[in-house]
Amino acid sequence: MRLNRQNSGTRWRVRPDGPEKVSGALTYLTDMTAPGMLYGTVLRSPHPHAAIRTIRKDAALRADGVAAVLTCHDVPGLNRFGIARQDQPVFCEERVRYVGDAVAAVAAETRELAELALALIEVEYELLPVLDDPERSLAPEAPALHPEGNVLHEAAFADGDIEAAFAGCAHIVEETYRTPRQMHAYMETEGGLFVPEPDGRLTVYAPTQHGLMDRLQLSRILALPEERIRVVSSPIGGSFGGKDELNVQPYGALLALATGRPVKIHNSRRESVRSGLKRHPMVLRMKTGIGQDGRIAAHQVRITADTGPYATLGAEVLNFATEHVIGTYAFGAVDVASRSVFTNNGMSGEFRGFGGNQAIFALEGQMDRLAEAAGLDPWTFRELNLKPAADGTGPFGQPIAKTDGAERVWAALRDSRLWRERAAGAAGVGNDAGQPPNSLKPWLLTGIGAAMVMHGAGLGFGIPDPSGGRLTFRKDGRIEAAFGFEECGQGLIATLEQMMVERLGLAGSDVRIVIGDTDAVPNSGSSTASRATTMMWKSLELLREPFADLVLAAAGQAAGAGPELLRLGEGGVRWRSTGDMAVAYADLAATLAEPIVCEAAVHYPTSGTERVGAHYLYSHAAVAVKVEINRLTGRVRVLDQYHVVAAGPVMNPQGYLGQIEGGSSMALGYALLEEAVMEGGQYVTKNLDTYLVPTIADQSGAVEVLPIEDLPEGDEHGPRGIGEIGSIGLAPAIASAVKHAAGRWINRLPIDPALLQEAFPIRRLEAMNDEG
């Protein structure tokens, strides 16, 4: 059933944090101030690659209102950070490797004085050769950016005799796909407030996707026990992966401890662009062959990712892309080799979809080309080559949780109105591109395309992926759900509240959600990898019965009845037989000497394999779009979207729809508009005035979402997160629709209007003459 307000009935609820957000009343962490607060700023390298000869900070220290000027010599602990690999310097010592590298930091009475002090810090650089392209970094004469060389990580997978398989193919398609450096473009740029407490502890108010991981990293840098650091990390004004790594936290923390005063740092947009993470640009070369029967016999892929100057999660992103360029198809032989390369370009890192967006864009483009070579409808071709559900293996042949999601989303999309419309055109109703011409505006073409998405959730085998949660019946009669996840804007609080209401039988007013405070929450792991919904659901599964037993036992004593006669309900414990109130929660709490507490610890499901990063749980989606191409401008406009998503039961209809629509909007920018252009290691795109993101005008077409909620019999893993899957399939679907409308293959993103203008030089003139 189509997901919308009407079909969701009473499950369509106002999210708890919604009114404050839409009214602008919500105080984000970067809105906070404190008495006696200083302002922090960071001096960053203007050069993409240079040796540091000297740093002189005396003049800055003498400047009015300056409380501290810090460099690498002022870091008491590890002068490095990074979730997976600690290779990014807090402050550079001898060399800078990109234009955002930090060299020094200042705390001053005002933001303006801090900026003036930065200008007084004298840094003598010796310029070094700039490696602004992975191929240049891989050249034998290239200087090494790190002691281990310029390759961060390599991954490979092979199965079968690839050369023999190609030798037997009837058709072989070769293509190179290029994907752009995309900004997260969150509304709230990186920032925070850092407060030294009277008891010697440090409180960090800074938005992040994993407060406990931030605390661990800060403890290394500050040489402080973790217990002496408190990280408050929610709410977040958007992240999409961009705030999973540390950003301003080391500088704010160091300055606060050095001055003994609260320090606030909040990046300008320009500073955010220069120093922040971006989606990895990738080049994906594919060679794929099919036999006479249309089945894929051989699939060879080479991936090169530009990871920028430091590791961040570049290795993990590459592993994910390596897995997803194989996807959910059955190949006779596979040969994938990939590498992630250090350069002097901007920082690449975690981004919604985690390497799957690049991989699926290329893979689905390849499927369309192969279908054409085989003379088959692209959907028929995919169906022919889909790995059967009974296979029970993932891309690397690893055991996975049984899923028929791919088959079901495929079938649903084939039945959709958009695909029926395309089929009607292909049957001869329309023009040469399969669509009826617009007689009033002959310069407009329309086309319909589609794509298939497979997405692995969780961190994958071999990577610690623990989680858990805690339920507490408090003295005020509220039932508190505490999780270590963060509210990044994705609706986690609303989903958790809805789970509590529906799974425990409570009212929303009975529940208090506690997240985003390392002093108050258990370790639930990171709010990433589409894992939070599954982990919250699993934790509540484990907690529900023991927690209810303890509350009902206490209620039985208060009501003078056996607990088997009672159940949890709205507002209090109720009689199981009639539903009437037995004892209100507030009255029950007054009888308790101590709160009732239950805690659960779980681990995200992993595959029985030895391959690091291989996934066990997969979700599937199919996306169809209708686009309009203006022959005169080359601009593409999306008119209609249809998403089918197989990710298990819908926990929060409003949040589910919002995630698919929001992911689709982000993908619209990825497909048609967004690229953070760099030249010579410098950002050409320095701010949002030259970086176009979709507006509501671009997102004007219909977006229909059909969830497939059934899981295979015996599946005990519950709902899968859908925070990423909606952002993946739109770009290849648009590229497919452009080919359908204009007959032009697209092999790079964003789709350049000039490319489509070139496709119609004669028709353009005809159209203009008709107008004149």
Side-chain angles (χ1 to χ4, degrees):
M1 186 191 311
R2 180 182 176 186
L3 191 60
N4 55 29
R5 179 193 293 262
Q6 290 70 35
N7 292 335
S8 299
T10 56
R11 299 193 75 210
W12 191 275
R13 304 170 71 240
V14 174
R15 56 187 284 176
D17 54 343
E20 279 195 303
K21 285 188 171 177
V22 299
S23 65
L26 182 67
T27 299
Y28 287 90
L29 301 178
T30 48
D31 294 328
M32 296 178 66
T33 59
M37 184 181 80
L38 297 166
Y39 290 87
T41 55
V42 179
L43 181 67
R44 299 186 183 276
S45 167
H47 308 296
H49 195 197
I52 297 175
R53 294 307 178 204
T54 58
I55 303 175
R56 289 184 286 275
K57 61 180 186 180
D58 293 350
L61 276 170
R62 290 193 299 269
D64 289 343
V66 172
V69 181
L70 306 182
T71 67
C72 61
H73 303 296
D74 302 301
V75 179
L78 179 68
N79 189 31
R80 293 287 184 279
F81 64 92
I83 292 175
R85 182 189 294 196
Q86 292 77 56
D87 70 343
Q88 182 167 359
V90 176
F91 294 114
C92 294
E93 296 133 342
E94 299 175 345
R95 182 156 61 149
V96 294
R97 296 179 176 84
Y98 84 115
V99 293
D101 247 338
V103 175
V106 169
E109 297 293 340
T110 68
R111 194 187 307 275
E112 292 73 19
L113 289 173
E115 293 289 343
L116 285 172
L118 283 191
L120 295 174
I121 300 173
E122 299 174 54
V123 185
E124 184 181 344
Y125 295 101
E126 178 184 336
L127 301 186
L128 298 173
V130 176
L131 305 179
D132 60 354
D133 181 87
E135 295 302 323
R136 196 161 294 147
S137 290
L138 294 171
E141 68 276 13
L145 294 176
H146 293 275
E148 65 273 25
N150 291 344
V151 175
L152 164 66
H153 181 64
E154 293 182 290
F157 176 75
D159 183 32
D161 186 337
I162 193 75
E163 295 304 327
F166 275 123
C169 287
H171 304 281
I172 295 176
V173 167
E174 293 186 69
E175 184 63 274
T176 299
Y177 302 87
R178 299 177 188 276
T179 61
R181 177 179 289 102
Q182 185 183 22
M183 292 190 201
H184 299 80
Y186 21 70
M187 294 181 72
E188 178 196 43
T189 56
E190 304 87 348
L193 178 67
F194 305 83
V195 181
E197 303 291 355
D199 61 0
R201 298 183 78 207
L202 174 72
T203 301
V204 174
Y205 299 94
T208 175
Q209 292 186 209
H210 195 181
L212 287 161
M213 179 60 72
D214 281 15
R215 189 179 71 169
L216 169 64
Q217 296 196 74
L218 287 174
S219 77
R220 293 173 180 152
I221 294 167
L222 304 175
L224 283 178
E226 290 185 62
E227 297 73 29
R228 292 185 60 189
I229 304 169
R230 176 190 176 199
V231 176
V232 178
S233 43
S234 287
I236 307 172
S239 176
F240 315 110
K243 296 173 185 167
D244 206 10
E245 294 275 7
L246 293 180
N247 43 77
V248 303
Q249 293 93 331
Y251 313 106
L254 287 165
L255 290 168
L257 292 180
T259 61
R261 293 171 60 179
V263 173
K264 179 171 182 170
I265 299 182
H266 194 182
N267 281 346
S268 65
R269 181 65 66 178
R270 181 179 289 260
E271 195 70 2
S272 175
V273 170
R274 181 161 67 150
S275 63
L277 301 178
K278 311 288 182 297
R279 191 188 295 283
H280 282 79
M282 289 190 189
V283 177
L284 306 99
R285 296 181 171 87
M286 287 189 172
K287 177 182 177 183
T288 313
I290 55 176
Q292 291 289 357
D293 59 357
R295 295 185 184 277
I296 304 172
H299 184 50
Q300 187 175 64
V301 185
R302 298 291 181 263
I303 305 172
T304 302
D306 181 348
T307 202
Y310 302 109
T312 66
L313 293 178
E316 291 72 22
V317 168
L318 188 74
N319 286 341
F320 198 94
T322 302
E323 179 181 13
H324 286 73
V325 291
I326 303 170
T328 190
Y329 299 108
F331 297 110
V334 180
D335 171 27
V336 183
S338 54
R339 57 190 174 185
S340 190
V341 183
F342 289 118
T343 68
N344 295 123
N345 287 325
M347 292 283 294
S348 300
E350 182 181 354
F351 203 129
R352 193 179 199 174
F354 209 76
N357 310 59
Q358 299 94 321
I360 297 296
F361 170 66
L363 178 62
E364 289 300 286
Q366 201 75 346
M367 293 301 112
D368 276 347
R369 287 159 174 79
L370 289 166
E372 184 178 80
L376 292 174
D377 165 82
W379 231 233
T380 302
F381 176 79
R382 285 171 170 83
E383 197 169 45
L384 178 67
N385 285 287
L386 211 57
K387 187 181 281 190
D391 179 88
T393 63
F396 299 131
Q398 82 275 20
I400 64 172
K402 183 180 177 184
T403 173
D404 57 359
E407 295 171 351
R408 299 191 66 177
V409 298
W410 223 235
L413 191 135
R414 180 187 284 280
D415 241 3
S416 70
R417 56 181 168 72
L418 273 180
W419 206 254
R420 288 199 301 271
E421 183 180 339
R422 172 170 167 135
V429 176
N431 60 12
D432 57 348
Q435 296 301 306
N438 186 329
S439 58
L440 297 178
K441 297 180 179 178
W443 57 88
L444 298 180
L445 290 174
T446 59
I448 296 173
M452 171 75 171
V453 177
M454 178 198 76
H455 185 73
L459 304 183
F461 174 82
I463 303 172
D465 202 0
S467 191
R470 183 172 60 234
L471 295 182
T472 306
F473 185 65
R474 290 289 182 191
K475 291 288 288 180
D476 64 356
R478 302 283 288 279
I479 296 169
E480 183 180 282
F483 283 83
F485 297 117
E486 321 294 347
E487 176 57 65
C488 307
Q490 78 277 43
L492 179 143
I493 292 175
T495 299
L496 179 54
E497 183 185 274
Q498 185 123 345
M499 285 185 186
M500 294 284 290
V501 167
E502 295 183 346
R503 302 188 73 74
L504 276 74
L506 308 172
S509 56
D510 299 326
V511 177
R512 179 188 298 119
I513 306 294
V514 176
I515 62 167
D517 184 340
T518 55
D519 275 9
V521 298
N523 184 8
S524 301
S526 179
S527 304
T528 189
S530 299
R531 64 190 293 282
T533 298
T534 300
M535 290 293 88
M536 290 191 302
W537 181 87
K538 186 66 177 176
S539 294
L540 290 180
E541 279 289 295
L542 295 174
L543 289 167
R544 181 172 55 174
E545 189 170 323
F547 179 76
D549 287 348
L550 291 172
V551 174
L552 295 180
Q557 288 187 354
E564 71 279 3
L565 301 176
L566 304 169
R567 65 169 174 82
L568 301 183
E570 296 183 356
V573 175
R574 293 175 177 270
W575 297 105
R576 192 175 290 277
S577 57
T578 64
D580 293 337
M581 184 73 75
V583 54
Y585 290 129
D587 296 336
L588 176 60
T591 70
L592 299 178
E594 297 292 335
I596 295 172
V597 183
C598 280
E599 191 157 329
V602 296
H603 193 280
Y604 203 90
T606 54
S607 175
T609 177
E610 293 300 314
R611 187 173 181 98
V612 174
H615 290 84
Y616 182 66
L617 298 185
Y618 291 94
S619 302
H620 296 85
V623 185
V625 299
K626 183 175 184 178
V627 305
E628 176 186 270
I629 300 174
N630 187 319
R631 298 183 190 183
L632 305 180
T633 65
R635 291 285 178 192
V636 178
R637 190 161 69 97
V638 175
L639 303 175
D640 201 355
Q641 301 180 39
Y642 183 80
H643 298 254
V644 191
V645 183
V650 174
M651 292 292 99
N652 172 10
Q654 192 182 45
Y656 195 107
L657 184 61
Q659 284 293 295
I660 300 303
E661 289 178 341
S664 161
S665 179
M666 183 169 268
L668 189 68
Y670 188 56
L672 300 178
L673 297 169
E674 298 184 41
E675 182 171 19
V677 178
M678 300 203 77
E679 290 180 4
Q682 299 279 356
Y683 277 104
V684 175
T685 308
K686 298 182 185 300
N687 214 326
L688 288 187
D689 54 356
T690 53
Y691 184 86
L692 300 179
V693 296
T695 68
I696 193 66
D698 300 297
Q699 189 72 59
S700 56
V703 180
E704 189 171 347
V705 177
L706 175 69
I708 294 179
E709 301 190 68
D710 298 334
L711 291 169
E713 188 176 348
D715 187 303
E716 299 177 345
H717 306 294
R720 281 44 157 178
I722 44 85
E724 296 176 278
I725 199 165
S727 72
I728 300 171
L730 195 74
I734 290 174
S736 176
V738 167
K739 172 63 169 64
H740 186 232
R744 187 84 179 221
W745 289 119
I746 299 298
N747 62 4
R748 66 178 305 150
L749 299 175
I751 298 173
D752 187 348
L755 179 72
L756 297 178
Q757 283 179 315
E758 292 168 4
F760 310 108
I762 298 175
R763 291 178 181 180
R764 180 185 179 191
L765 288 175
E766 289 172 347
M768 293 175 69
N769 289 337
D770 289 345
E771 282 291 284

